[in-house]
Amino acid sequence: MSTLTKEQQTELEAAAFRRLVAHLRERSDVQNIDLMNLAGFCRNCLSNWYREAAEESGLPVSKDESREMVYGMPYEDWKNLHQGEAPAVQKAAFEQNKPKE
């Protein structure tokens, strides 16, 4: 891989992050529990990581603000529009595989 400056690396990482967020917004058919069971993270995790990065930089970003950034709308609105009840098999898989705190 070619040598990138720190600024170039940051720009590429930011572009990849924006593309991931856009993809997740477009794929509202994919539930968070699907993501958690398959990949070990979900939209809420991503919004938490965003908020934590803001806090580490001394920037005030609330939980609601970080979720709205990821979901493209208030979280409660997204849940009402797109989130259904997870089947028992998905809930059981989540309990078995959920990340350790």
Side-chain angles (χ1 to χ4, degrees):
M1 182 172 176
S2 64
T3 303
L4 300 174
T5 66
K6 188 68 173 162
E7 183 178 304
Q8 290 169 324
Q9 182 179 349
T10 299
E11 288 175 11
L12 295 174
E13 291 167 350
F17 174 79
R18 288 189 296 270
R19 188 165 179 184
L20 173 61
V21 168
H23 180 75
L24 291 173
R25 287 180 183 175
E26 291 171 13
R27 291 299 311 268
S28 59
D29 60 309
V30 178
Q31 298 292 301
N32 281 336
I33 198 163
D34 297 323
L35 292 168
M36 286 298 296
N37 287 340
L38 180 63
F41 82 98
C42 69
R43 292 170 183 89
N44 290 338
C45 297
L46 193 59
S47 71
N48 290 339
W49 299 336
Y50 183 89
R51 182 179 41 79
E52 290 167 6
E55 288 173 356
E56 289 172 7
S57 297
L59 301 171
V61 175
S62 71
K63 183 177 180 177
D64 289 338
E65 290 170 329
S66 67
R67 283 188 173 183
E68 188 165 341
M69 191 285 307
V70 169
Y71 286 94
M73 65 182 70
Y75 178 57
E76 290 302 318
D77 293 349
W78 190 90
K79 280 186 2 182
N80 290 332
L81 288 171
H82 303 293
Q83 187 168 310
E85 180 67 25
V89 66
Q90 282 184 316
K91 289 179 183 179
F94 175 76
E95 287 302 319
Q96 187 171 27
N97 298 316
K98 71 181 175 184
K100 311 291 184 265
E101 292 182 15

